[in-house]
């Protein structure tokens, strides 16, 4: 559970300036919320489910949401059905800084896409390399190997 908490907290879902205001457990909960908001537009997970995904207890999850709401980072909409039944709260991110951070983050992890290097050679041992500047066309150029 500690490993899960640390990996969620280190996932980079919160800007560093905001993350500094929360404990590791609270950062993990807010990272789960941020992931749900990025995927679905709002987080509608039950509190126990949110806590389980983040690897924290229910009270840590409640504290994280309460603190983020008090700082004006989140909006928590309670969805009552009857006097005794409720749907899970709908949580949305209201912080412009955090929203921008999530929008600028890469969607599937790391860095930019680089096409693989071709390992094909012609019969003279000259490497054939794709020309990446031809706007998606598969053009092969001849490159002589340097010897010496």
């Amino acid at each position: 559970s500690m490993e899960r908490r640390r990996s969620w907290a280190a996932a980079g879902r919160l800007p560093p300036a905001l993350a500094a205001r929360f404990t590791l457990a609270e950062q993990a909960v807010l990272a789960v919320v941020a992931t749900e908001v990025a995927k679905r537009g709002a987080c509608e997970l039950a509190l126990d489910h949110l806590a389980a995904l983040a690897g924290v207890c229910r009270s840590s999850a409640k504290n994280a949401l309460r603190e983020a709401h008090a700082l004006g980072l989140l909006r928590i909409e309670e969805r009552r059905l009857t006097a005794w039944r409720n749907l899970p709260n709908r949580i949305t991110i209201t912080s412009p800084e955090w929203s921008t951070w999530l929008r600028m983050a890469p969607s599937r992890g790391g860095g930019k896409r680089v096409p693989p290097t071709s390992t094909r050679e012609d019969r003279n041992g000259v490497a054939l390399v794709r020309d990446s500047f031809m706007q998606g066309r598969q053009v092969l150029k001849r490159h002589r190997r340097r010897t010496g």
Side-chain angles (χ1 to χ4, degrees):
S1 184
M2 177 64 85
E3 184 178 325
R4 177 182 297 219
R5 193 176 319 155
R6 285 181 177 155
S7 80
W8 272 111
R13 301 286 183 194
L14 272 82
L18 297 180
R21 299 177 180 182
F22 298 99
T23 66
L24 190 72
E26 292 169 346
Q27 287 178 30
V29 171
L30 295 176
V32 173
V33 169
T35 302
E36 283 293 308
V37 169
K39 277 187 199 171
R40 296 180 175 81
C43 178
E44 295 181 353
L45 297 176
L47 193 59
D48 289 328
H49 191 179
L50 193 63
L53 284 175
V56 301
C57 65
R58 180 184 168 93
S59 63
S60 293
K62 277 179 101 168
N63 289 340
L65 295 177
R66 186 183 311 121
E67 184 66 27
H69 181 69
L71 292 171
L73 304 177
L74 298 176
R75 182 172 150 255
I76 301 173
E77 175 190 340
E78 293 182 0
R79 300 189 299 162
R80 296 201 174 270
L81 292 177
T82 65
W84 298 280
R85 265 192 73 168
N86 300 315
L87 288 172
N89 293 341
R90 178 179 285 136
I91 304 166
T92 53
I93 296 174
T94 56
S95 165
E97 179 186 2
W98 194 2
S99 297
T100 303
W101 181 266
L102 290 175
R103 198 171 46 251
M104 299 298 284
S107 58
R108 287 189 207 133
K112 61 179 159 177
R113 172 87 171 102
V114 178
T117 304
S118 174
T119 56
R120 293 174 38 192
E121 296 179 348
D122 67 1
R123 57 191 135 130
N124 298 328
V126 176
L128 297 173
V129 180
R130 284 189 188 148
D131 188 355
S132 60
F133 299 107
M134 293 301 291
Q135 299 175 352
R137 292 190 205 116
Q138 300 253 342
V139 177
L140 297 175
K141 284 184 161 182
R142 296 175 187 275
H143 286 278
R144 300 224 180 259
R145 286 193 183 145
R146 293 182 187 179
T147 56

